[in-house]
Amino acid sequence: MANSEKHVKEPLVHLTRRMNVSASFAWMIRIGAFILSILVCCLISSLLSDKVSFGFFFKYLFGGTFGSSMLIMNLLRDLAIYLLLALAVTPCFKMRYWNIGGEGQAMMGAFGCSLVVAYASGKLPVWGTILLSFAAAVVLAVFWAVVPALFKAKWNTNETLLTLMFNYIAICLGAYLIKKVAPMGTGILNFQDGTLASLGVGDFWIIVVTVTVLTVLMFIYQKYSKHGYEIAVVGEAPNTARYIGINNKKVIVRTLLLCGILSGIAGFLLVSVKDASFLSDSTSQSTVAGRGFTAILISWLAHFHPLAMALTSFLVVFITRGANQIGNMARLGNSYAGMMVGIFFFFIIATEFFINFKLNFRPRAEKAAPAGAGPKPAGEQEGTV
Amino acid sequence: MGNNLAIEMVNITKAFGTKVVANKHVNMDLREGEILAVLGENGSGKTTLMNMIAGIYTPDSGKIIVRGEEVVIKSPIDAFRYHIGMIHQHFKLVDLFTAADNILLGERMPDDYGHGPKFFRWLRFNHLSRNRVKDLQKTVDRYGFGLDLSRKIYDMSVSEKQTVEIIKVLYRGADILILDEPTAVLTPQEIDKLFAVLRKMRNEGKSIIIITHKLNEVMAISDRVCVLRKGEHIATVETAKTTEKELTDMMVGQKIDLNINRTGPVQPLPRLMVRDMSVVNKEGRTVVDHVSFDVCGGEILGIAGISGNGQKELLEGIAGLQPKAGGDVIFRNPKRDKPVTFYHKDLKKIRAMAAEGFFHYPDGECVDLRGKKDKEVIRLVNGEQLLFYEDEIIDLKDKTPREIQELGIKLSFVPEDRLNMGLVGNMSIVDNMMLRSYRKSRSVFVNRKRPKQLADDIIRDLEVVTPSDMVPVRRLSGGNVQKVLVGREISSSPKVLMAAYPVRGLDINSSYTIYNLLNIQKRKNVAVVYVGEDLDVLLALCDRILVLCGGRVSGIVDARHITKEELGLMMTKVPDIVPSYTYEGLQKEAEDNG
């Protein structure tokens, strides 16, 4: 045996699929990756600037998000916005309808809301303006979501491209509105009147309560309702759906209607409750500010589970805010936070691989091969696979 | 036939996860210049074993010795280095490319290949397949494949695609070929052609392994047979020195009764009447051509034909899943003296039918609903007081697939795509049970209680092997998936049950479970349509057999009094006088039996 092994070269690593992954194991891997990603972020940050030490990094990482009750409230509020946007796109993904237009749909919600506030405030009573702006937000967002769905249902067009392009059209429409309302302005519409914020209602409670309720409803909708069941069938096996008599087209349009409603609510909350302003310059410089794109990742990482999405959006907000704080304190520039978030996502996405596959190493021979798999090797094995 | 070993596998073990051991200490050897059949039921580890030779899996333990040298095959590329090529069950071809493109794809050329100026050679124009078809065609002609390499894959039939796969591995210099169930997708004629090619290759010194679970093919083609059962190697025997029966015993481990129990037809009366039905497919070809026949309750009507002669389209046409180009399908709902329900009729419809004198009360008096209040009518219907005088005649022309299903006409299991036609792979058995029934309640929420009960019943009654009823069905083996699907269809007490190739890819035991289920349905006076490919099974199971050829009916015959040869002839050619064995004959048969 030993003789023949010499000229036989076994692969260093071979992969096997794990069949039954226990939840506790999966969570161990995830937590391990999370800790590892933070450590790598810390390491890179300390290389970038002399100011950043181990203590400094963790002080501001946690300080930036949990430093005061105000910060914690802001954290929860931001988390809620992300969560709502993720909730909107989740049923689409479950249906394998790759709606990457969450950004644009929320933008259209914000646009509709701003349109009404800009033109109707003062002419209508405050509550009238608010209700009308809410309605406009929902209607426009629904329109933006349903049009690609109709195209898909009717002509089987590619929804990915269409929804993506609709994002940019939405931004341009927003920019046009701003130019029209305030041609000489700073490029941002500030609303003194006609918004929920102007009534002095706390933005925190409205947003957090609304989103909590919607999260629970969406969880029930997906898991226990017939609609949710149909969405899953259409997504997993469109032919089976046809075969048992589900009208796939109807389900697609209906689901995107729901997606539009949720995006519209998100747009309304952003303009009328949170910011009381409207900005639409580019995808990053806008009211929605790219959250619609991040929401796709949040939804995906949570395996489309509404409650797990609360956790993933928490992580996203936590890292973003913490990194921002560190970046500000150490004067590392605007892109620093984005870089940290990127590293973090890299690790989190990689965990899915380690949860689904097992690395089997060559039994210890002459050369010392790293042995034993666990959460720790997650980083160093990227290269060897 | 040489006696040198081409491949030797020693003590191979391969496990997936902790529970599934696909191969347990398997020893197998392949001699040079022989055809070795690897025989086993579904899930006996045949494909896994072969995949380890082909570099798709690596064994957990054991040795693979190729031509006397111990090797580790890490990838299909490695396998090619040892001149091993595998032809998979699912072809791996690029549809839009020509056959030649597919064969050359991924190949590395020597630098000095080709003709012409150096610059052009450097540019590697000569690597383009269109310039090399001639070279390739030589390989093709040597084995007598008879294939035009400049045709595109999407234009080719399944057997031609398979040929391309074979040429691909031959061209790359493989002299050990592994074919994974190559005959599953072929017609009898194509199988003969394939076997001729295989024999020719063997005579040229190639070593061939063919994975199969069809005994007659083993006997026809192989020199030796290696039998696997539940991941273990049972024996390797010389084909000439064994019998089908001996092999079956080795394969299944216990003697099984090869006789299908056929009872006489039960009160055969036409249930479904198909008249002059035609179906034109997307490409504009007439795939079902003026087909007329009756299916009776209490019979099994077999549909025979070489695959792709309109069987699938015919069934889908009846089920409303294919637009019909012409003809009628009439359904006779066996409602005589049965109560009318609101299941697919509303109050208005029932009133209209009552006015035409469709119903009678249990005491025999004719129903007159004029002057009765809605409330009273609803009470009568729910109390099952309104009975039909005669069977209800329904034209399925304008019905949607869903309405047709709700009438009790079930099309089940088209296993070309089992997981995509009737089941959802990623859903649990329970959720798959709901597919049919979830709409029935008025609630917006789904109720999983009854589906769960049904799932557990099916797992128990049909002996589905599964850890629990919450396991995604895609994790189950083919036979178990089939049982889940059939179990669900039957649970809804169908009136017409159409089964297309229900046992394709199933092992013997599972097949018999399915035959038994169909027979039980027949005894319950269900009209069963069975599309099959194994003529022996058709002859043993069915009461009547309808033979399709090129989308046309070449005859309806009595399964009890026809020979296999006669059937085979009808499958290839529509006779001048089309035989038609009508249901009156069946009724006589039923009387004789009853």
PDB file of all heavy atoms in Angstrom, chain A residues 4 8 11 19-20 223-224 226 229-230 232 236 239-240 243-245, chain B residues 72 405 411 420 422-424 426 431 434-435 438 441 443-444 446:
ATOM      1  N   SER A   4       2.748   1.880  -3.238  1.00  0.00           N
ATOM      2  CA  SER A   4       2.033   2.355  -4.422  1.00  0.00           C
ATOM      3  C   SER A   4       1.585   3.801  -4.262  1.00  0.00           C
ATOM      4  O   SER A   4       1.388   4.499  -5.241  1.00  0.00           O
ATOM      5  CB  SER A   4       0.818   1.465  -4.694  1.00  0.00           C
ATOM      6  OG  SER A   4      -0.049   1.524  -3.587  1.00  0.00           O
ATOM      7  N   VAL A   8       1.215   7.851  -6.824  1.00  0.00           N
ATOM      8  CA  VAL A   8      -0.179   8.216  -7.044  1.00  0.00           C
ATOM      9  C   VAL A   8      -0.412   9.560  -6.390  1.00  0.00           C
ATOM     10  O   VAL A   8      -0.131   9.730  -5.215  1.00  0.00           O
ATOM     11  CB  VAL A   8      -1.104   7.178  -6.399  1.00  0.00           C
ATOM     12  CG1 VAL A   8      -2.531   7.629  -6.533  1.00  0.00           C
ATOM     13  CG2 VAL A   8      -0.896   5.831  -7.039  1.00  0.00           C
ATOM     14  N   PRO A  11      -5.798  14.299  -5.130  1.00  0.00           N
ATOM     15  CA  PRO A  11      -5.996  15.746  -5.017  1.00  0.00           C
ATOM     16  C   PRO A  11      -5.869  16.174  -3.560  1.00  0.00           C
ATOM     17  O   PRO A  11      -6.214  15.421  -2.661  1.00  0.00           O
ATOM     18  CB  PRO A  11      -7.404  15.961  -5.549  1.00  0.00           C
ATOM     19  CG  PRO A  11      -8.066  14.631  -5.469  1.00  0.00           C
ATOM     20  CD  PRO A  11      -6.991  13.612  -5.606  1.00  0.00           C
ATOM     21  N   MET A  19     -25.164  16.430   2.896  1.00  0.00           N
ATOM     22  CA  MET A  19     -26.561  16.125   2.602  1.00  0.00           C
ATOM     23  C   MET A  19     -27.504  16.755   3.619  1.00  0.00           C
ATOM     24  O   MET A  19     -28.362  17.527   3.287  1.00  0.00           O
ATOM     25  CB  MET A  19     -26.770  14.609   2.535  1.00  0.00           C
ATOM     26  CG  MET A  19     -26.092  13.986   1.338  1.00  0.00           C
ATOM     27  SD  MET A  19     -26.468  14.819  -0.209  1.00  0.00           S
ATOM     28  CE  MET A  19     -28.021  14.061  -0.616  1.00  0.00           C
ATOM     29  N   ASN A  20     -27.340  16.416   4.859  1.00  0.00           N
ATOM     30  CA  ASN A  20     -28.240  16.984   5.853  1.00  0.00           C
ATOM     31  C   ASN A  20     -27.458  17.918   6.764  1.00  0.00           C
ATOM     32  O   ASN A  20     -26.712  17.485   7.624  1.00  0.00           O
ATOM     33  CB  ASN A  20     -28.894  15.874   6.676  1.00  0.00           C
ATOM     34  CG  ASN A  20     -29.839  15.070   5.821  1.00  0.00           C
ATOM     35  OD1 ASN A  20     -30.684  15.638   5.130  1.00  0.00           O
ATOM     36  ND2 ASN A  20     -29.671  13.760   5.820  1.00  0.00           N
ATOM     37  N   LYS A 223     -45.616  31.785   4.095  1.00  0.00           N
ATOM     38  CA  LYS A 223     -45.593  30.435   4.630  1.00  0.00           C
ATOM     39  C   LYS A 223     -46.975  29.772   4.626  1.00  0.00           C
ATOM     40  O   LYS A 223     -47.087  28.581   4.388  1.00  0.00           O
ATOM     41  CB  LYS A 223     -45.037  30.478   6.052  1.00  0.00           C
ATOM     42  CG  LYS A 223     -44.890  29.105   6.652  1.00  0.00           C
ATOM     43  CD  LYS A 223     -43.594  28.902   7.373  1.00  0.00           C
ATOM     44  CE  LYS A 223     -43.418  27.430   7.653  1.00  0.00           C
ATOM     45  NZ  LYS A 223     -42.853  27.143   8.930  1.00  0.00           N
ATOM     46  N   TYR A 224     -48.001  30.545   4.924  1.00  0.00           N
ATOM     47  CA  TYR A 224     -49.292  29.893   5.154  1.00  0.00           C
ATOM     48  C   TYR A 224     -50.376  30.225   4.135  1.00  0.00           C
ATOM     49  O   TYR A 224     -51.414  29.589   4.128  1.00  0.00           O
ATOM     50  CB  TYR A 224     -49.804  30.237   6.560  1.00  0.00           C
ATOM     51  CG  TYR A 224     -48.893  29.739   7.639  1.00  0.00           C
ATOM     52  CD1 TYR A 224     -48.073  30.607   8.344  1.00  0.00           C
ATOM     53  CD2 TYR A 224     -48.827  28.381   7.921  1.00  0.00           C
ATOM     54  CE1 TYR A 224     -47.212  30.138   9.326  1.00  0.00           C
ATOM     55  CE2 TYR A 224     -47.972  27.900   8.901  1.00  0.00           C
ATOM     56  CZ  TYR A 224     -47.173  28.785   9.597  1.00  0.00           C
ATOM     57  OH  TYR A 224     -46.328  28.306  10.549  1.00  0.00           O
ATOM     58  N   LYS A 226     -52.306  30.704   0.431  1.00  0.00           N
ATOM     59  CA  LYS A 226     -52.336  30.009  -0.851  1.00  0.00           C
ATOM     60  C   LYS A 226     -51.496  30.753  -1.882  1.00  0.00           C
ATOM     61  O   LYS A 226     -50.859  30.141  -2.728  1.00  0.00           O
ATOM     62  CB  LYS A 226     -53.779  29.904  -1.335  1.00  0.00           C
ATOM     63  CG  LYS A 226     -54.568  28.922  -0.521  1.00  0.00           C
ATOM     64  CD  LYS A 226     -55.980  28.816  -1.022  1.00  0.00           C
ATOM     65  CE  LYS A 226     -56.717  27.785  -0.190  1.00  0.00           C
ATOM     66  NZ  LYS A 226     -58.139  27.747  -0.515  1.00  0.00           N
ATOM     67  N   TYR A 229     -47.959  29.843  -1.436  1.00  0.00           N
ATOM     68  CA  TYR A 229     -47.743  28.487  -1.932  1.00  0.00           C
ATOM     69  C   TYR A 229     -47.633  28.488  -3.456  1.00  0.00           C
ATOM     70  O   TYR A 229     -46.740  27.878  -4.045  1.00  0.00           O
ATOM     71  CB  TYR A 229     -48.905  27.623  -1.462  1.00  0.00           C
ATOM     72  CG  TYR A 229     -48.824  26.176  -1.876  1.00  0.00           C
ATOM     73  CD1 TYR A 229     -47.872  25.331  -1.325  1.00  0.00           C
ATOM     74  CD2 TYR A 229     -49.712  25.657  -2.803  1.00  0.00           C
ATOM     75  CE1 TYR A 229     -47.807  24.004  -1.689  1.00  0.00           C
ATOM     76  CE2 TYR A 229     -49.664  24.330  -3.173  1.00  0.00           C
ATOM     77  CZ  TYR A 229     -48.705  23.511  -2.621  1.00  0.00           C
ATOM     78  OH  TYR A 229     -48.647  22.196  -2.991  1.00  0.00           O
ATOM     79  N   GLU A 230     -48.540  29.240  -4.084  1.00  0.00           N
ATOM     80  CA  GLU A 230     -48.498  29.317  -5.551  1.00  0.00           C
ATOM     81  C   GLU A 230     -47.202  29.942  -6.038  1.00  0.00           C
ATOM     82  O   GLU A 230     -46.613  29.494  -7.030  1.00  0.00           O
ATOM     83  CB  GLU A 230     -49.692  30.126  -6.073  1.00  0.00           C
ATOM     84  CG  GLU A 230     -50.970  29.317  -6.066  1.00  0.00           C
ATOM     85  CD  GLU A 230     -52.174  30.112  -6.536  1.00  0.00           C
ATOM     86  OE1 GLU A 230     -52.059  31.338  -6.725  1.00  0.00           O
ATOM     87  OE2 GLU A 230     -53.251  29.495  -6.680  1.00  0.00           O
ATOM     88  N   ALA A 232     -44.333  29.770  -4.646  1.00  0.00           N
ATOM     89  CA  ALA A 232     -43.269  28.765  -4.546  1.00  0.00           C
ATOM     90  C   ALA A 232     -43.371  27.753  -5.674  1.00  0.00           C
ATOM     91  O   ALA A 232     -42.366  27.369  -6.269  1.00  0.00           O
ATOM     92  CB  ALA A 232     -43.329  28.076  -3.190  1.00  0.00           C
ATOM     93  N   GLU A 236     -40.442  27.176  -8.336  1.00  0.00           N
ATOM     94  CA  GLU A 236     -39.667  25.934  -8.315  1.00  0.00           C
ATOM     95  C   GLU A 236     -39.904  25.093  -9.563  1.00  0.00           C
ATOM     96  O   GLU A 236     -39.008  24.428 -10.052  1.00  0.00           O
ATOM     97  CB  GLU A 236     -40.038  25.096  -7.083  1.00  0.00           C
ATOM     98  CG  GLU A 236     -39.760  25.760  -5.764  1.00  0.00           C
ATOM     99  CD  GLU A 236     -38.302  25.653  -5.380  1.00  0.00           C
ATOM    100  OE1 GLU A 236     -37.567  24.959  -6.091  1.00  0.00           O
ATOM    101  OE2 GLU A 236     -37.910  26.263  -4.387  1.00  0.00           O
ATOM    102  N   ASN A 239     -43.494  24.200 -14.945  1.00  0.00           N
ATOM    103  CA  ASN A 239     -44.292  23.241 -15.715  1.00  0.00           C
ATOM    104  C   ASN A 239     -45.325  22.548 -14.850  1.00  0.00           C
ATOM    105  O   ASN A 239     -46.457  22.319 -15.277  1.00  0.00           O
ATOM    106  CB  ASN A 239     -43.385  22.193 -16.347  1.00  0.00           C
ATOM    107  CG  ASN A 239     -42.881  22.652 -17.680  1.00  0.00           C
ATOM    108  OD1 ASN A 239     -43.567  23.412 -18.368  1.00  0.00           O
ATOM    109  ND2 ASN A 239     -41.683  22.245 -18.032  1.00  0.00           N
ATOM    110  N   THR A 240     -44.909  22.213 -13.634  1.00  0.00           N
ATOM    111  CA  THR A 240     -45.863  21.613 -12.707  1.00  0.00           C
ATOM    112  C   THR A 240     -47.012  22.580 -12.455  1.00  0.00           C
ATOM    113  O   THR A 240     -48.169  22.175 -12.405  1.00  0.00           O
ATOM    114  CB  THR A 240     -45.163  21.255 -11.392  1.00  0.00           C
ATOM    115  OG1 THR A 240     -44.161  20.292 -11.666  1.00  0.00           O
ATOM    116  CG2 THR A 240     -46.132  20.691 -10.392  1.00  0.00           C
ATOM    117  N   TYR A 243     -49.298  22.491 -15.206  1.00  0.00           N
ATOM    118  CA  TYR A 243     -49.907  21.172 -15.254  1.00  0.00           C
ATOM    119  C   TYR A 243     -51.038  21.024 -14.240  1.00  0.00           C
ATOM    120  O   TYR A 243     -52.049  20.402 -14.507  1.00  0.00           O
ATOM    121  CB  TYR A 243     -48.770  20.185 -15.006  1.00  0.00           C
ATOM    122  CG  TYR A 243     -49.109  18.757 -14.767  1.00  0.00           C
ATOM    123  CD1 TYR A 243     -49.354  17.904 -15.828  1.00  0.00           C
ATOM    124  CD2 TYR A 243     -49.115  18.250 -13.477  1.00  0.00           C
ATOM    125  CE1 TYR A 243     -49.619  16.580 -15.596  1.00  0.00           C
ATOM    126  CE2 TYR A 243     -49.375  16.934 -13.244  1.00  0.00           C
ATOM    127  CZ  TYR A 243     -49.630  16.088 -14.305  1.00  0.00           C
ATOM    128  OH  TYR A 243     -49.878  14.779 -14.077  1.00  0.00           O
ATOM    129  N   ILE A 244     -50.866  21.655 -13.075  1.00  0.00           N
ATOM    130  CA  ILE A 244     -51.964  21.566 -12.116  1.00  0.00           C
ATOM    131  C   ILE A 244     -52.933  22.718 -12.262  1.00  0.00           C
ATOM    132  O   ILE A 244     -53.886  22.828 -11.505  1.00  0.00           O
ATOM    133  CB  ILE A 244     -51.470  21.498 -10.658  1.00  0.00           C
ATOM    134  CG1 ILE A 244     -50.706  22.774 -10.307  1.00  0.00           C
ATOM    135  CG2 ILE A 244     -50.631  20.269 -10.411  1.00  0.00           C
ATOM    136  CD1 ILE A 244     -50.600  22.967  -8.834  1.00  0.00           C
ATOM    137  N   GLY A 245     -52.706  23.565 -13.258  1.00  0.00           N
ATOM    138  CA  GLY A 245     -53.705  24.579 -13.569  1.00  0.00           C
ATOM    139  C   GLY A 245     -53.523  25.911 -12.879  1.00  0.00           C
ATOM    140  O   GLY A 245     -54.466  26.683 -12.769  1.00  0.00           O
TER     141      GLY A 245
ATOM    142  N   VAL B  72      -5.174   7.788  -9.796  1.00  0.00           N
ATOM    143  CA  VAL B  72      -6.207   8.587  -9.140  1.00  0.00           C
ATOM    144  C   VAL B  72      -6.810   9.468 -10.213  1.00  0.00           C
ATOM    145  O   VAL B  72      -6.103  10.203 -10.888  1.00  0.00           O
ATOM    146  CB  VAL B  72      -5.614   9.446  -8.014  1.00  0.00           C
ATOM    147  CG1 VAL B  72      -6.669  10.393  -7.474  1.00  0.00           C
ATOM    148  CG2 VAL B  72      -5.090   8.554  -6.914  1.00  0.00           C
ATOM    149  N   GLN B 405     -59.364  18.534 -15.039  1.00  0.00           N
ATOM    150  CA  GLN B 405     -58.895  17.772 -13.884  1.00  0.00           C
ATOM    151  C   GLN B 405     -59.963  17.630 -12.831  1.00  0.00           C
ATOM    152  O   GLN B 405     -60.119  16.594 -12.208  1.00  0.00           O
ATOM    153  CB  GLN B 405     -57.722  18.489 -13.237  1.00  0.00           C
ATOM    154  CG  GLN B 405     -56.408  18.080 -13.813  1.00  0.00           C
ATOM    155  CD  GLN B 405     -55.354  19.060 -13.414  1.00  0.00           C
ATOM    156  OE1 GLN B 405     -55.462  19.711 -12.375  1.00  0.00           O
ATOM    157  NE2 GLN B 405     -54.346  19.181 -14.230  1.00  0.00           N
ATOM    158  N   LEU B 411     -54.135  13.295 -15.720  1.00  0.00           N
ATOM    159  CA  LEU B 411     -52.958  12.880 -16.481  1.00  0.00           C
ATOM    160  C   LEU B 411     -51.827  12.826 -15.481  1.00  0.00           C
ATOM    161  O   LEU B 411     -51.578  13.782 -14.778  1.00  0.00           O
ATOM    162  CB  LEU B 411     -52.646  13.908 -17.559  1.00  0.00           C
ATOM    163  CG  LEU B 411     -51.300  13.754 -18.268  1.00  0.00           C
ATOM    164  CD1 LEU B 411     -51.206  12.431 -18.957  1.00  0.00           C
ATOM    165  CD2 LEU B 411     -51.113  14.873 -19.256  1.00  0.00           C
ATOM    166  N   ASN B 420     -40.730  17.798 -13.011  1.00  0.00           N
ATOM    167  CA  ASN B 420     -41.192  19.067 -13.539  1.00  0.00           C
ATOM    168  C   ASN B 420     -42.611  18.972 -14.065  1.00  0.00           C
ATOM    169  O   ASN B 420     -43.159  19.925 -14.567  1.00  0.00           O
ATOM    170  CB  ASN B 420     -40.261  19.533 -14.649  1.00  0.00           C
ATOM    171  CG  ASN B 420     -39.798  20.929 -14.406  1.00  0.00           C
ATOM    172  OD1 ASN B 420     -40.512  21.696 -13.757  1.00  0.00           O
ATOM    173  ND2 ASN B 420     -38.645  21.269 -14.903  1.00  0.00           N
ATOM    174  N   GLY B 422     -45.782  17.765 -12.455  1.00  0.00           N
ATOM    175  CA  GLY B 422     -46.646  17.213 -11.436  1.00  0.00           C
ATOM    176  C   GLY B 422     -46.095  17.298 -10.033  1.00  0.00           C
ATOM    177  O   GLY B 422     -46.848  17.214  -9.081  1.00  0.00           O
ATOM    178  N   LEU B 423     -44.787  17.498  -9.917  1.00  0.00           N
ATOM    179  CA  LEU B 423     -44.229  17.622  -8.572  1.00  0.00           C
ATOM    180  C   LEU B 423     -43.323  18.840  -8.524  1.00  0.00           C
ATOM    181  O   LEU B 423     -42.887  19.349  -9.540  1.00  0.00           O
ATOM    182  CB  LEU B 423     -43.411  16.388  -8.209  1.00  0.00           C
ATOM    183  CG  LEU B 423     -44.172  15.084  -7.973  1.00  0.00           C
ATOM    184  CD1 LEU B 423     -43.199  13.961  -7.712  1.00  0.00           C
ATOM    185  CD2 LEU B 423     -45.146  15.213  -6.825  1.00  0.00           C
ATOM    186  N   VAL B 424     -43.044  19.287  -7.315  1.00  0.00           N
ATOM    187  CA  VAL B 424     -42.094  20.367  -7.115  1.00  0.00           C
ATOM    188  C   VAL B 424     -40.940  19.791  -6.316  1.00  0.00           C
ATOM    189  O   VAL B 424     -41.105  19.409  -5.160  1.00  0.00           O
ATOM    190  CB  VAL B 424     -42.732  21.550  -6.370  1.00  0.00           C
ATOM    191  CG1 VAL B 424     -41.738  22.687  -6.246  1.00  0.00           C
ATOM    192  CG2 VAL B 424     -43.975  22.021  -7.099  1.00  0.00           C
ATOM    193  N   ASN B 426     -38.248  20.824  -4.839  1.00  0.00           N
ATOM    194  CA  ASN B 426     -37.727  21.369  -3.592  1.00  0.00           C
ATOM    195  C   ASN B 426     -38.742  21.384  -2.471  1.00  0.00           C
ATOM    196  O   ASN B 426     -38.443  21.834  -1.378  1.00  0.00           O
ATOM    197  CB  ASN B 426     -37.214  22.791  -3.828  1.00  0.00           C
ATOM    198  CG  ASN B 426     -35.752  22.778  -4.207  1.00  0.00           C
ATOM    199  OD1 ASN B 426     -35.041  21.829  -3.883  1.00  0.00           O
ATOM    200  ND2 ASN B 426     -35.313  23.802  -4.893  1.00  0.00           N
ATOM    201  N   ASP B 431     -46.143  19.130   1.048  1.00  0.00           N
ATOM    202  CA  ASP B 431     -46.508  20.254   0.191  1.00  0.00           C
ATOM    203  C   ASP B 431     -46.850  19.793  -1.221  1.00  0.00           C
ATOM    204  O   ASP B 431     -47.662  20.408  -1.906  1.00  0.00           O
ATOM    205  CB  ASP B 431     -45.377  21.290   0.151  1.00  0.00           C
ATOM    206  CG  ASP B 431     -45.417  22.189   1.372  1.00  0.00           C
ATOM    207  OD1 ASP B 431     -46.151  21.828   2.314  1.00  0.00           O
ATOM    208  OD2 ASP B 431     -44.745  23.221   1.378  1.00  0.00           O
ATOM    209  N   MET B 434     -50.419  18.800  -1.574  1.00  0.00           N
ATOM    210  CA  MET B 434     -51.408  19.883  -1.628  1.00  0.00           C
ATOM    211  C   MET B 434     -51.634  20.406  -3.027  1.00  0.00           C
ATOM    212  O   MET B 434     -52.607  21.092  -3.277  1.00  0.00           O
ATOM    213  CB  MET B 434     -50.928  21.066  -0.793  1.00  0.00           C
ATOM    214  CG  MET B 434     -50.798  20.796   0.664  1.00  0.00           C
ATOM    215  SD  MET B 434     -50.732  22.337   1.567  1.00  0.00           S
ATOM    216  CE  MET B 434     -49.303  23.115   0.864  1.00  0.00           C
ATOM    217  N   LEU B 435     -50.699  20.111  -3.945  1.00  0.00           N
ATOM    218  CA  LEU B 435     -50.760  20.739  -5.261  1.00  0.00           C
ATOM    219  C   LEU B 435     -52.147  20.642  -5.887  1.00  0.00           C
ATOM    220  O   LEU B 435     -52.631  21.578  -6.503  1.00  0.00           O
ATOM    221  CB  LEU B 435     -49.737  20.091  -6.203  1.00  0.00           C
ATOM    222  CG  LEU B 435     -48.308  20.597  -6.087  1.00  0.00           C
ATOM    223  CD1 LEU B 435     -47.390  19.737  -6.902  1.00  0.00           C
ATOM    224  CD2 LEU B 435     -48.218  22.037  -6.535  1.00  0.00           C
ATOM    225  N   TYR B 438     -55.117  22.177  -2.764  1.00  0.00           N
ATOM    226  CA  TYR B 438     -55.068  23.358  -1.902  1.00  0.00           C
ATOM    227  C   TYR B 438     -56.132  24.402  -2.228  1.00  0.00           C
ATOM    228  O   TYR B 438     -56.507  25.203  -1.414  1.00  0.00           O
ATOM    229  CB  TYR B 438     -53.675  23.985  -1.941  1.00  0.00           C
ATOM    230  CG  TYR B 438     -53.387  24.823  -3.160  1.00  0.00           C
ATOM    231  CD1 TYR B 438     -53.508  26.199  -3.123  1.00  0.00           C
ATOM    232  CD2 TYR B 438     -53.021  24.226  -4.356  1.00  0.00           C
ATOM    233  CE1 TYR B 438     -53.261  26.967  -4.239  1.00  0.00           C
ATOM    234  CE2 TYR B 438     -52.770  24.976  -5.473  1.00  0.00           C
ATOM    235  CZ  TYR B 438     -52.890  26.348  -5.412  1.00  0.00           C
ATOM    236  OH  TYR B 438     -52.657  27.104  -6.530  1.00  0.00           O
ATOM    237  N   SER B 441     -60.482  24.636  -0.422  1.00  0.00           N
ATOM    238  CA  SER B 441     -61.132  25.402   0.651  1.00  0.00           C
ATOM    239  C   SER B 441     -61.232  26.865   0.235  1.00  0.00           C
ATOM    240  O   SER B 441     -60.530  27.326  -0.660  1.00  0.00           O
ATOM    241  CB  SER B 441     -60.317  25.271   1.932  1.00  0.00           C
ATOM    242  OG  SER B 441     -59.135  26.023   1.814  1.00  0.00           O
ATOM    243  N   SER B 443     -60.651  29.354   2.286  1.00  0.00           N
ATOM    244  CA  SER B 443     -59.756  30.175   3.088  1.00  0.00           C
ATOM    245  C   SER B 443     -58.591  30.691   2.248  1.00  0.00           C
ATOM    246  O   SER B 443     -58.206  30.087   1.255  1.00  0.00           O
ATOM    247  CB  SER B 443     -59.245  29.331   4.252  1.00  0.00           C
ATOM    248  OG  SER B 443     -57.983  29.770   4.658  1.00  0.00           O
ATOM    249  N   VAL B 444     -58.019  31.842   2.668  1.00  0.00           N
ATOM    250  CA  VAL B 444     -56.848  32.335   1.953  1.00  0.00           C
ATOM    251  C   VAL B 444     -55.596  31.582   2.382  1.00  0.00           C
ATOM    252  O   VAL B 444     -54.556  31.686   1.764  1.00  0.00           O
ATOM    253  CB  VAL B 444     -56.591  33.839   2.191  1.00  0.00           C
ATOM    254  CG1 VAL B 444     -57.586  34.676   1.445  1.00  0.00           C
ATOM    255  CG2 VAL B 444     -56.577  34.169   3.665  1.00  0.00           C
ATOM    256  N   VAL B 446     -53.422  28.048   3.445  1.00  0.00           N
ATOM    257  CA  VAL B 446     -53.395  26.625   3.128  1.00  0.00           C
ATOM    258  C   VAL B 446     -53.500  25.834   4.422  1.00  0.00           C
ATOM    259  O   VAL B 446     -53.051  26.277   5.470  1.00  0.00           O
ATOM    260  CB  VAL B 446     -52.108  26.226   2.377  1.00  0.00           C
ATOM    261  CG1 VAL B 446     -52.097  26.813   0.996  1.00  0.00           C
ATOM    262  CG2 VAL B 446     -50.870  26.634   3.149  1.00  0.00           C
TER     263      VAL B 446
END
